[in-house]
Amino acid sequence: MWNIALTHGIGLYDLRSANPHIKNPALIYVGELINLPLYNANNYVVKKGDTMWNIAKEYGNTLNELKDVNPDIKNPNLIYPEQTINIPDITNLKDNTFFTEASSTHELDKDLTQLENEVIELVNTERGKLGIHSLTPSNELSNVARLKSEDFIKNNYFSHNSPIYGSPFDMLRFFGVNFKGASENIASGQKTAKAVVDTWMNSSAHKANILNNNYDEIGVGIAKGPNENLYWTQIFIKK
């Protein structure tokens, strides 16, 4: 749904509001009918507690895009209630429906899915060595993890905090994932599942996430960037 919102210049929140029948925006299917809200927003009046990042997120823009159309705002960390923020013009929405297509490179690349499954198997092997219970694979978590890996490529960053979704916890909540505890491992450049798991196991913080006895579900998502570089995201939660 994020990709659809971005393609049509729609805020992700607005797209979700127009599709109340979709309970989990991380789970949509080929051929599913998506309603597109038709609107044209040119400005936004700042409310107490607003930030430029939150405003950008609400309207489906990046922070840099919002800054570009507000050159008078020298410091994006300083905005005030009642201040007017220019929003990139949302136009050219000719249709109010959209049929999802099998256009994701990940959806067409079975090798990536195989790598994701191998990571989960290797993680459970490492846990088994210490007598720790296996983690249950979650399609819901893997869908979120794939979006995070794709987000690295689309927004040219590599960090736990996304310019679109916020922290890993914010992102999970945004996509309707319920959890009592959660953590995230990320990596870039490894070519195989073993290589990325070895990398994480050689890092005390990442290893602690993999061997955490409190977690019970896991999701893994991979995206292929320029020059065939792989981006890896691994999410753990306690339900």
Side-chain angles (χ1 to χ4, degrees):
M1 285 191 76
W2 183 86
N3 288 334
I4 295 169
L6 187 64
T7 298
H8 292 273
I10 303 166
L12 187 52
Y13 285 108
D14 295 327
L15 187 60
R16 290 185 62 186
S17 296
N19 292 275
H21 60 288
I22 299 177
K23 303 304 180 184
N24 185 344
L27 294 174
I28 58 174
Y29 306 97
V30 174
E32 186 171 4
L33 183 66
I34 305 293
N35 297 315
L36 299 182
L38 297 178
Y39 62 95
N40 184 17
N42 294 314
N43 54 61
Y44 174 84
V45 178
V46 176
K47 300 188 294 291
K48 184 177 180 180
D50 278 341
T51 65
M52 288 277 281
W53 182 85
N54 283 333
I55 295 169
K57 180 178 177 182
E58 180 177 352
Y59 284 92
N61 303 122
T62 66
L63 182 57
N64 284 336
E65 288 170 341
L66 194 59
K67 287 166 63 178
D68 287 344
V69 296
N70 290 276
D72 55 311
I73 299 178
K74 304 304 181 184
N75 185 347
N77 294 318
L78 293 176
I79 58 174
Y80 309 96
E82 305 305 322
Q83 184 176 4
T84 298
I85 303 293
N86 296 318
I87 303 296
D89 196 21
I90 300 170
T91 56
N92 300 321
L93 296 180
K94 298 179 181 179
D95 302 315
N96 64 350
T97 58
F98 176 84
F99 286 93
T100 58
E101 301 175 354
S103 58
S104 166
T105 55
H106 185 283
E107 191 171 348
L108 299 176
D109 195 335
K110 294 182 180 179
D111 290 340
L112 295 184
T113 301
Q114 179 60 36
L115 285 176
E116 292 169 352
N117 292 334
E118 288 177 17
V119 169
I120 294 173
E121 291 174 4
L122 289 169
V123 164
N124 280 332
T125 296
E126 294 294 339
R127 291 170 67 89
K129 291 176 183 178
L130 298 179
I132 304 171
H133 65 272
S134 294
L135 296 168
T136 301
S138 165
N139 288 333
E140 183 178 44
L141 291 182
S142 289
N143 283 333
V144 175
R146 289 171 196 136
L147 286 173
K148 182 63 173 285
S149 292
E150 291 172 0
D151 194 39
F152 292 143
I153 300 166
K154 291 172 182 174
N155 290 294
N156 193 29
Y157 77 102
F158 185 69
S159 168
H160 289 292
N161 290 318
S162 163
I164 299 297
Y165 301 110
S167 74
F169 312 106
D170 292 333
M171 188 170 182
L172 287 170
R173 293 187 187 99
F174 182 82
F175 286 106
V177 178
N178 296 316
F179 61 94
K180 295 178 180 177
S183 64
E184 177 187 80
N185 286 345
I186 58 176
S188 171
Q190 293 81 2
K191 301 297 185 184
T192 67
K194 185 178 185 304
V196 75
V197 172
D198 285 347
T199 298
W200 284 328
M201 288 298 291
N202 286 322
S203 162
S204 58
H206 295 89
K207 180 178 179 179
N209 289 336
I210 289 173
L211 300 179
N212 191 317
N213 191 47
N214 292 322
Y215 296 134
D216 45 41
E217 291 190 6
I218 183 174
V220 176
I222 306 169
K224 187 181 294 184
N227 301 318
E228 301 295 300
N229 184 62
L230 297 182
Y231 290 84
W232 310 71
T233 301
Q234 184 179 59
I235 301 174
F236 308 90
I237 67 166
K238 176 179 176 58
K239 276 291 190 179

